[in-house]
Amino acid sequence: MKVGQDKVVTIRYTLQVEGEVLDQGELSYLHGHGNLIRGLEEALEGREEGEAFQAHVPAEKAYGPHDPEGVQVVPLSAFPEDAEVAPGAQFYAQDMEGNPMPLTVVEVQGEEVTIDFNHPLAGKDLDFQVEVVKVREATPEELLHGHVHEGGHSH
């Protein structure tokens, strides 16, 4: 069976950025529903079970370009008192609708903290080594919910 729209696909992958391995593992996703970065999903389209390949995903088809407006300076008092605010620390803020917005601390200078709302991989090209482990038809419930239900699932 080939990877295509509405198929549940299990892949084994290694992610590298600039030659450094950042992540590896196995995951299952529902193809064609935006559950993977666009460039990797496009590279998987039409592949077959058992196929192994390399995919170079440019930043524009991964996490997008780095947006300078995503970098802001906020007062240290904006963080919880017991928070360890240091470069590299990650926190969540909320937008006007209450949605979580991940952010990374870039720099701390006295009472001012430089934060970055960009994804840590924004502006970076990604290199994947991928093996298509399994391809199956999605269940009606998976199609309705837009994601895979494996290993127990609740909403």
Side-chain angles (χ1 to χ4, degrees), residues 69-82:
E69 291 186 17
V71 179
Q72 301 174 15
V73 177
V74 298
L76 182 59
S77 62
F79 292 85
E81 275 188 40
D82 61 344

Side-chain angles (χ1 to χ4, degrees), residues 93-101:
Q94 288 186 346
D95 66 13
M96 298 300 213
E97 288 84 42
N99 298 311
M101 295 174 54

